[in-house]
Amino acid sequence: MNIQWDAEKYTADFSFVHQYGSGVAELIDGERGAKVLDLGCGNGALSKALRDRGYVVTGLDASKELLEIARTNYPDIPFIQGDATDFSLPEPVDVVFSNAVLHWIDREWQGALLRCVYRALRDRGQFVFEMGGCGNNRLIHAALAEAFARRGYPYQMPFYFPTIGEYAGLLEAAGFQVRCAVLFDRPTELKGEAGMEDWIRMFVKTPFSIIEGEAERAELIRQAAERLRGALYKNGRWYADYVRLRMKAVKA
Ligand code: BEZ
């Protein structure tokens, strides 16, 4: 995952990402004082929510821009810059928590990530996470693929959205025991009349790297959003067709 975030817009307009993350934290079975790593902590909003639940939290993220916001907003939480597929901690933690991060990592790097998580946990430690699951943003990516194809460009799907069975297999291969898994729809309201175009601009970056010129990119995004209007614009509001995969696994 190597993405340049518009950290301020992300924090201002896409706060639903960490708001929904609070529900994932309920899967943690931990006492006050348990040590938790927030893997892919972004702007630190969920690290703070975890700290407010009484956990001793460290955040880890690759983005310098988002970490700057996290450190400014929550100066009493330690945040470290690091790669989710290649990190180690000085001491094991009780819980690794992660929200809306794992789908950014290609399928072939998931094993490396799970090895790092396994190594970072104490024995019987928990890995609790939510990510985009099979079918996530299916309509959005189909509309983008169609708009790309109409102009003769290939559309390379930039995310990994596994099924329960597929990800459970990866977890077991890495030495975890799966304790809980659920895949569910969560249509998510976007902000404002340009909500869908803003969402695409914020989150879908790499497929656009082959397209030269801002005007053509903007036209492509506009066409994709128009295509989606019938399915994802309701009563004056845009919705993204999110599907979540929420899991809890224990270091066996
Ligand atoms: C998600 O949380 O499912 C997601 C967010 C941005 C891009 C792709 C997926």
Side-chain angles (χ1 to χ4, degrees), residues 7-134:
E8 275 169 28
K9 188 163 175 62
Y10 176 76
T11 300
D13 290 355
F14 297 94
S15 56
F16 62 78
V17 176
H18 64 78
Q19 281 158 9
Y20 280 125
S22 301
V24 191
E26 276 158 31
L27 278 184
I28 297 175
D29 181 14
E31 316 218 318
R32 289 182 75 79
K35 285 191 212 148
V36 177
L37 174 70
D38 182 6
L39 183 62
C41 62
N43 62 18
L46 272 173
S47 308
K48 180 204 178 276
L50 291 164
R51 199 263 320 266
D52 291 348
R53 284 172 179 254
Y55 303 133
V56 176
V57 182
T58 300
L60 183 143
D61 204 279
S63 164
K64 208 162 125 274
E65 296 81 13
L66 288 170
L67 285 176
E68 248 169 57
I69 294 182
R71 288 184 180 121
T72 303
N73 289 349
Y74 316 112
D76 49 341
I77 299 177
F79 291 102
I80 46 185
Q81 191 173 9
D83 176 344
T85 64
D86 184 18
F87 71 92
S88 55
L89 299 179
E91 284 180 17
V93 291
D94 301 298
V95 178
V96 174
F97 170 90
S98 183
N99 180 57
V101 172
L102 304 190
H103 49 250
W104 291 93
I105 293 163
D106 289 347
R107 162 72 182 78
E108 70 252 41
W109 286 99
Q110 295 286 335
L113 174 139
L114 291 175
R115 278 192 293 280
C116 290
V117 172
Y118 190 89
R119 223 178 24 224
L121 284 168
R122 66 157 168 83
D123 287 348
R124 314 304 295 164
Q126 303 155 51
F127 182 29
V128 169
F129 63 89
E130 184 174 296
M131 66 190 292
C134 179

Side-chain angles (χ1 to χ4, degrees), residues 3 5 10 14 16-17 99-101 103-104 130-133 136-137 141 157-161 186 199 202-204 241-245:
I3 190 166
W5 287 99
Y10 176 76
F14 297 94
F16 62 78
V17 176
N99 180 57
V101 172
H103 49 250
W104 291 93
E130 184 174 296
M131 66 190 292
N136 196 35
N137 307 141
H141 291 293
M157 173 64 172
F159 300 107
Y160 171 57
F161 298 136
R186 185 164 66 208
W199 187 94
M202 173 62 65
F203 293 119
V204 185
D241 54 339
Y242 278 103
V243 176
R244 315 316 293 163
L245 174 59

